[in-house]
Amino acid sequence: QVQLVESGGGLVQDGGSLRLSCEATGSSVDFLSIGWFRQAPGEEREGVSCISNLDNKIYYADSVKGRFTMTRDNDKRTVYLQMSALKPEDTAVYYCVADPSTAQSMCTLPPSLVDYWGRGTQVTVSS
């Protein structure tokens, strides 16, 4: 069984920065890509950024390119999402996810097809 635990959410002003962390545990973590989805109020969940397990390729949604940076510890079990130049439209619950797919595949999957989810952490950007 895979468990994903997020931390680092909070309230920040427009243009500010936050860093999210996700710690993954479980025997199969080493074989999974890990990433981030988010769900804004009244919206569907969407992929934000994902990193492939095999080749470390990183996918970013167009809405966050140039502002968000995803990194991973060498042990591949902790990932980070550095969010800069935050906008009110980035306000959402951010979920750590994991799946055997590649990064781009996982981040563009319908959320119902992503295998593993954390509980989420709230990010609120005030204008």
Side-chain angles (χ1 to χ4, degrees):
Q1 187 72 327
V2 173
Q3 290 190 326
L4 305 169
V5 179
E6 305 96 337
S7 61
L11 173 65
V12 65
Q13 289 188 333
D14 190 355
S17 299
L18 276 176
R19 189 175 83 155
L20 305 182
S21 302
C22 171
E23 183 175 0
T25 58
S27 58
S28 59
V29 167
D30 293 343
F31 305 102
L32 302 175
S33 297
I34 299 180
W36 296 91
F37 272 59
R38 68 184 180 185
Q39 186 169 23
E43 302 289 332
E44 295 187 355
R45 294 183 182 186
E46 62 174 358
V48 175
S49 181
C50 298
I51 184 167
S52 286
N53 172 60
L54 292 179
D55 56 14
N56 290 326
K57 285 186 178 178
I58 302 175
Y59 168 90
Y60 294 100
D62 287 343
S63 58
V64 306
K65 278 182 183 176
R67 301 188 298 122
F68 290 12
T69 302
M70 187 170 179
T71 56
R72 180 168 64 185
D73 280 355
N74 288 337
D75 64 3
K76 297 187 177 181
R77 291 176 173 263
T78 304
V79 297
Y80 306 94
L81 186 67
Q82 178 67 47
M83 306 184 293
S84 302
L86 282 162
K87 306 173 183 180
E89 50 263 45
D90 294 315
T91 294
V93 177
Y94 284 70
Y95 297 91
C96 184
V97 297
D99 192 89
S101 305
T102 62
Q104 182 168 348
S105 294
M106 181 169 71
C107 257
T108 54
L109 277 174
S112 61
L113 298 182
V114 177
D115 279 359
Y116 302 102
W117 291 78
R119 292 188 174 184
T121 185
Q122 176 70 46
V123 171
T124 302
V125 184
S126 64
S127 58

